[in-house]
Amino acid sequence: MLLMSSPVLTTVEDSIGIISINNPPANVLTEEVFRGLDSAFETFLADTSIRGIILTGEGGNFAAGADISQIATLTDEEEGERTSLEGQKMGQRIWNSPVPVLAAINGYALGGGSELALCCHLRIATTKARIGQPEIKHGFIPGMGGTIRLPRVVGPTKAMELLLTGEPIGPEEAHRIGLINFVVHEDELKRQAMGLLKKIGRLGREATENTLQAVRKGIDLPLEEALKLESKLFGELMPTGNKKEGVNAFLEKRTPIFT
């Protein structure tokens, strides 16, 4: 079922929401694209039947970054800061999703495109993918969280190299440093992305939500506070029907049927 038109397309397949950036040829992230993305995520995150979301790009590229012509019009500090905050708000909506969001990266994921992918919980890329933060080559820095999220994903040393040189990397290097989960052939991207999210979607929803919450919040807390949070989220699951079903299925040596 086609839910939206250009520049952002959305479909639902097997309870998985698919959001595709559709701004050819490179899927530049214009203001119109951001409005479309915001609307698409708002729709899917309000739908309790959605078990996962794929974010990808049409036409062979994920997203080649922000619209430089729009960046060129930013000459005021406060306006620049507002633009950055709006982009970060979009990223936080993705990161705070109660269902897993997977970036299916085909072709270029540069600048804002890379930052969008970093906001997702999972990332897979094709053998033709190129990922990077080239902003420094244009005289500015990432403004959608790239300088903050990238070090948390790959570590500060490698992040410094990527951010200070602006050089993109291929999928093998991205996988080696933990930036993506795995590499697939181009014609396998959608199938692999759907397969991973459907596998997660078959598990108990409460446990999935609490896992996301534990990692999302715990990563920013001191160790002792993070451990207390984990204990709280663990305890919340004890009375649930899905926890009972999962434990009983294990003891009875059968496949659990989660609701």
Side-chain angles (χ1 to χ4, degrees), residues 193-222:
M194 290 287 293
L196 181 55
L197 286 186
K198 286 196 285 187
K199 181 179 181 180
I200 296 170
R202 287 192 289 267
L203 305 175
R205 186 173 187 125
E206 302 99 330
T208 299
E209 289 183 2
N210 280 23
T211 298
L212 289 169
Q213 190 176 166
V215 174
R216 183 168 56 236
K217 293 183 178 180
I219 199 170
D220 294 322
L221 294 174

Side-chain angles (χ1 to χ4, degrees), residues 11-18 44 47-54 99-100 194 197-198 201-202 205:
T11 58
V12 178
E13 296 182 26
D14 297 328
S15 298
I16 303 298
I18 304 173
F44 281 154
D47 186 346
T48 57
S49 70
I50 297 294
R51 301 305 306 274
I53 298 172
I54 295 171
V99 298
M194 290 287 293
L197 286 186
K198 286 196 285 187
R202 287 192 289 267
R205 186 173 187 125

Side-chain angles (χ1 to χ4, degrees), residues 3 64 88 105 132 207 251:
L3 299 180
Q88 291 175 0
I105 303 170
L251 296 174

Side-chain angles (χ1 to χ4, degrees), residues 62-215:
F62 182 77
D67 186 345
I68 298 297
S69 65
Q70 291 181 358
I71 298 292
T73 66
L74 298 177
T75 58
D76 178 79
E77 289 184 20
E78 291 185 2
E79 187 180 5
E81 185 176 354
R82 277 197 305 273
T83 300
S84 173
L85 289 171
E86 283 299 313
Q88 291 175 0
K89 183 179 177 181
M90 174 77 254
Q92 283 297 93
R93 168 166 275 181
I94 297 172
W95 179 240
N96 289 327
S97 167
V99 298
V101 181
L102 182 151
I105 303 170
N106 44 337
Y108 289 116
L110 302 175
S114 173
E115 290 175 287
L116 277 179
L118 284 167
C119 296
C120 299
H121 309 113
L122 299 162
R123 290 169 291 277
I124 65 176
T126 71
T127 54
K128 296 181 179 180
R130 299 288 288 173
I131 306 169
Q133 300 291 160
E135 290 90 345
I136 199 166
K137 293 183 176 181
H138 306 301
F140 56 98
I141 69 171
M144 286 178 54
T147 63
I148 308 304
R149 296 184 192 277
L150 188 60
R152 297 185 183 202
V153 172
V154 306
T157 302
K158 189 63 180 181
M160 281 291 193
E161 175 193 332
L162 297 176
L163 291 164
L164 290 173
T165 65
E167 293 295 324
I169 57 175
E172 293 80 10
E173 176 73 358
H175 181 258
R176 186 186 69 80
I177 65 176
L179 181 55
I180 62 173
N181 295 90
F182 52 87
V183 184
V184 300
H185 289 290
E186 194 169 12
D187 57 358
E188 286 286 294
L189 182 62
K190 180 180 177 181
R191 187 181 71 82
Q192 294 279 2
M194 290 287 293
L196 181 55
L197 286 186
K198 286 196 285 187
K199 181 179 181 180
I200 296 170
R202 287 192 289 267
L203 305 175
R205 186 173 187 125
E206 302 99 330
T208 299
E209 289 183 2
N210 280 23
T211 298
L212 289 169
Q213 190 176 166
V215 174

